Amino acid sequence: MNPRVLLKWDRSNSVPVAGVGKGKTFNLNDGIQGYKLIWSHGFIINRDELIKRHRLSQSLSDKDLIVRLYNQFGGGTAPMIHGPFTWVLWDNAQYTLVLVRDRIGIYGIYYAVTNCSVTIADNVESLLDSNVCAGSFNTKSVIGHINGIAPLADETYYRGISCVEPGTQIEISPYKLRKKRYWNFKTQPALKLKTNAEYTNAYRHLLFDVVDDYLPNSPVAVTLSGGLDSTSIAAAARAGHPDRLLTAYSWISPGIPEDDESQAIAMICEKLRLDCVRMDVGDMLAVKGNDWISTKRASPLSNIFTKLWTDLLTTIRGHDIAVVLSGISGDHLFSCGISSYPDLLLTGHWIELVRQLRAHRSGTKFSLTQLVRNKLAVPLIRAYLPNWRYPHQPPVPWLAETHHRAYKQCCPPPQRPMAILPGRRHRLELLKDPMLTTGCEIQTRHAAEHSIDLRHPLLDHRLFEFAASLPSSQAYYAGQNKIIMRNAMRGYLPDYVVNFKDKVYPETISKRMLLNHTSEVCSLTQNMRTADLGLIDPVPLRKAVKSALAGNTVDWSFYNTLTLEDWLRRYF
């Protein structure tokens, strides 16, 4: 990812001026046949197929390939490109800027439009530095952040700064700005196969193909936990390349056994023949200091584990590895609370429904009545009585009363196609979750700051479309999530990992991090800018923080307000 790319255009009388870094410009008229690719991020998965189909030279770079294709197909080029590839092109013949963001939104394009000019950048900071807007925060996005909701797909945390939506192409001419969705993720035709084995084979073949497409020719690493998401990436990489050197980087916590995944990680690395670098979270927790919460200028979002990620990325880069595969989004594909029980009821599979409920009851602490209510009745009500659900939860108790109406605008009712079953409908909502895109872009950018190309195979659009086509029974069975992933990984991963029912959440680690930074946290709750601006009532916030510090609750909904407070103090 090229840092700090900025383009300014006075649309009334000049050709855009582009720069990379500070003080560097280039002429946009020197491109191939009037076209100039100003910048791009990511890589093209199907480049060999495109080169062969259109009889182009194998020596073409991804950038030159885009220019050649655009010369031939114009605005129809974007749908032809597969993979996380975002680009901005100047069409001198049409006097038009073309902005194309990848389908999922791994890489961002940001822009600010005034009466006669447009400024475009691959990061928010460059736009702020260019003084194209007042730099005031977007109140609606900030209120959403307090409540754990990402900005709308085309908005940022700043007024006057917009972003290109994932899967969207924007064409900017002197008198017009035109948006066009070239990939509109929507309901897929239901995949109807005869047996579980057929679903499993279809997913396994697709996963292995996708992971192979994301592997570079250079050394590669995998971030590895004991769960199914990252381990399935490692298993797919090993299956396609039995003799290749693969390195896993894992966090372990032997001093915190309830959060430790050392046993599973050791079994996985032995099974897949991975070199493993283990990083002890306990050693990192022993280091206390300030700036645990340290926001960037672009956004008040700050991962609680940012410091751990920084240490991990520094270690990986120190080993001369520049490409890392992650397991981000497996929960959105095949988990995240999806229940198949309503779909079984509505399709007449009542005997199977009873059988699964009984099996579920035998392996849980919940009563049959609780299971029927939470996994059957509630999903049905949410599906067919949407006004009952939205807003699906009240705002946090400390949100100022004057902003409750704005909160409702942050989470409008989704467009819910009623022709599909509740389980599949819920899956579609999860795959469209803007927080997934926002969080992934931030994490990718964080890695790029360490000169690491962080790739996310499970965010490939082919897997999204496949997941959206599946019956919910392939995601959830008798209380167990990710059924299709488990079935696909049998024989490739240790049985212990495939059959492990519960997910390990680092709750104790999170609590220790909070306690290690008690003074910093308490300082952020005093003389609050968020309170002065009328965004929150600090009294219930302090009560929630005090309860968490005392160990009386695991509710961390206050964390976003603390990151917002840090952001406002630093940049406003």
Side-chain angles (χ1 to χ4, degrees):
M1 179 183 290
N2 296 325
R4 303 280 174 166
V5 186
L6 181 72
L7 180 143
K8 296 181 180 181
W9 183 19
D10 179 350
R11 293 193 281 175
S12 62
N13 57 15
S14 68
V15 173
V17 175
V20 181
K22 295 182 179 180
K24 297 181 181 179
T25 63
F26 48 79
N27 184 1
L28 297 181
N29 287 319
D30 65 356
I32 301 173
Q33 299 183 11
Y35 305 111
K36 178 73 176 184
L37 196 73
I38 300 173
W39 82 73
S40 67
H41 294 316
F43 59 98
I44 300 174
I45 284 175
N46 61 332
R47 59 167 284 121
D48 290 342
E49 174 191 337
L50 292 170
I51 285 173
K52 182 178 180 180
R53 182 192 307 168
H54 301 290
R55 300 179 180 180
L56 300 173
S57 171
Q58 283 285 351
S59 63
L60 284 177
S61 65
D62 284 355
K63 294 182 179 181
D64 288 339
L65 175 59
I66 292 292
V67 172
R68 299 286 186 182
L69 292 173
Y70 193 87
N71 179 41
Q72 185 173 354
F73 300 101
T77 301
M80 301 167 60
I81 306 300
H82 292 181
F85 195 73
T86 290
W87 43 283
V88 175
L89 178 141
W90 169 247
D91 182 346
N92 196 53
Q94 300 295 323
Y95 213 65
T96 298
L97 274 169
V98 181
L99 288 57
V100 178
R101 191 175 183 188
D102 63 275
R103 288 172 174 81
I104 308 301
I106 308 299
Y107 303 100
I109 304 177
Y110 303 91
Y111 62 96
V113 179
T114 60
N115 290 333
C116 61
S117 68
V118 59
T119 307
I120 303 166
D122 64 347
N123 61 91
V124 170
E125 292 89 344
S126 290
L127 292 175
L128 294 171
D129 290 340
S130 67
N131 297 317
V132 295
C133 65
S136 56
F137 61 77
N138 181 340
T139 302
K140 184 169 66 174
S141 295
V142 163
I143 292 170
H145 176 78
I146 293 172
N147 292 276
I149 302 170
L152 297 179
D154 61 346
E155 294 188 3
T156 68
Y157 289 98
Y158 288 90
R159 291 179 184 171
I161 297 181
S162 302
C163 68
V164 180
E165 295 182 50
T168 298
Q169 175 173 306
I170 295 182
E171 297 175 355
I172 306 174
S173 62
Y175 307 106
K176 187 184 298 184
L177 187 152
R178 186 167 72 98
K179 296 182 180 181
K180 180 175 68 174
R181 293 298 297 267
Y182 71 88
W183 186 70
N184 190 14
F185 182 63
K186 55 186 179 181
T187 306
Q188 301 293 310
L191 182 62
K192 297 180 180 180
L193 302 179
K194 294 181 179 180
T195 65
N196 283 336
E198 290 182 0
Y199 282 108
T200 298
N201 289 334
Y203 171 65
R204 185 190 297 119
H205 289 318
L206 177 58
L207 175 67
F208 285 12
D209 286 345
V210 167
V211 172
D212 193 61
D213 288 338
Y214 278 70
L215 285 170
N217 295 323
S218 57
V220 64
V222 181
T223 56
L224 189 75
S225 70
L228 278 171
D229 302 340
S230 60
T231 56
S232 65
I233 299 299
R238 174 55 73 212
H241 301 270
D243 300 321
R244 180 169 183 169
L245 176 63
L246 295 174
T247 305
Y249 287 80
S250 302
W251 285 310
I252 60 172
S253 54
I256 311 175
E258 61 270 33
D259 290 357
D260 188 38
E261 296 183 285
S262 298
Q263 179 184 359
I265 289 169
M267 295 170 66
I268 294 162
C269 290
E270 181 179 2
K271 175 83 173 180
L272 300 180
R273 293 176 287 109
L274 304 176
D275 286 356
C276 188
V277 178
R278 296 170 175 83
M279 303 186 68
D280 193 333
V281 175
D283 294 340
M284 302 177 195
L285 290 178
V287 180
K288 299 183 180 181
N290 296 322
D291 287 342
W292 172 48
I293 297 175
S294 181
T295 54
K296 301 288 186 180
R297 190 180 179 191
S299 164
L301 281 169
S302 179
N303 191 323
I304 186 176
F305 299 115
T306 294
K307 296 293 185 182
L308 299 183
W309 266 101
T310 298
D311 290 343
L312 178 69
L313 294 169
T314 301
T315 300
I316 293 173
R317 200 66 192 97
H319 295 163
D320 291 329
I321 295 176
V323 179
V324 178
L325 304 185
S326 86
I328 292 176
S329 101
D331 286 344
H332 287 74
L333 288 172
F334 305 118
S335 184
C336 273
I338 294 294
S339 173
S340 62
Y341 299 159
D343 296 11
L344 291 173
L345 176 69
L346 295 174
T347 54
H349 294 84
W350 302 331
I351 295 177
E352 178 65 16
L353 172 60
V354 171
R355 192 176 71 81
Q356 289 195 32
L357 281 169
R358 286 178 174 174
H360 191 170
R361 172 67 188 90
S362 66
T364 182
K365 61 182 180 181
F366 298 109
S367 68
L368 184 60
T369 301
Q370 290 174 313
L371 291 179
V372 170
R373 183 184 66 228
N374 296 332
K375 294 297 184 179
L376 180 59
V378 170
L380 281 170
I381 293 172
R382 287 177 173 175
Y384 295 108
L385 296 174
N387 291 333
W388 175 85
R389 180 183 181 190
Y390 289 96
H392 53 80
Q393 61 183 19
V396 292
W398 47 88
L399 181 68
E401 185 73 27
T402 54
H403 291 301
H404 280 209
R405 178 175 294 182
Y407 163 73
K408 294 181 180 180
Q409 296 175 353
C410 296
C411 48
Q415 298 298 317
R416 304 167 70 84
M418 300 302 290
I420 61 175
L421 294 167
R424 291 190 61 214
R425 191 176 306 147
H426 191 183
R427 167 73 57 239
L428 195 65
E429 292 175 9
L430 290 171
L431 292 174
K432 289 183 175 182
D433 180 9
M435 188 60 79
L436 177 62
T437 294
T438 302
C440 183
E441 185 191 352
I442 290 174
Q443 202 160 5
T444 303
R445 192 174 295 278
H446 185 193
E449 293 172 357
H450 295 265
S451 300
I452 288 176
D453 178 8
L454 185 61
R455 299 183 178 184
H456 316 283
L458 295 182
L459 282 170
D460 187 88
H461 75 278
R462 293 167 290 179
L463 286 172
F464 268 51
E465 292 172 349
F466 180 83
S469 72
L470 286 175
S472 59
S473 59
Q474 291 299 315
Y476 189 85
Y477 181 87
Q480 195 167 42
N481 290 314
K482 302 183 180 179
I483 293 301
I484 194 169
M485 293 186 77
R486 296 177 191 277
N487 290 339
M489 289 296 105
R490 293 193 188 282
Y492 292 88
L493 290 174
D495 290 342
Y496 173 84
V497 175
V498 173
N499 296 326
F500 192 72
K501 187 174 183 179
D502 298 320
K503 185 178 179 70
V504 176
Y505 292 98
E507 292 180 356
T508 302
I509 293 174
S510 302
K511 182 178 178 181
R512 288 196 184 183
M513 293 179 74
L514 178 67
L515 292 174
N516 279 356
H517 298 86
T518 299
S519 60
E520 179 184 347
V521 170
C522 291
S523 174
L524 286 171
T525 64
Q526 304 300 317
N527 302 316
M528 299 188 71
R529 290 292 312 282
T530 46
D532 293 341
L533 292 167
L535 295 170
I536 69 158
D537 177 355
V539 176
L541 175 71
R542 290 171 187 146
K543 183 178 179 181
V545 171
K546 183 178 179 180
S547 178
L549 288 172
N552 298 327
T553 179
V554 293
D555 182 4
W556 278 66
S557 57
F558 61 84
Y559 181 75
N560 278 351
T561 306
L562 296 183
T563 65
L564 176 63
E565 179 67 24
D566 177 83
W567 185 64
L568 291 172
R569 291 184 183 186
R570 289 177 186 270
Y571 307 111
F572 292 89

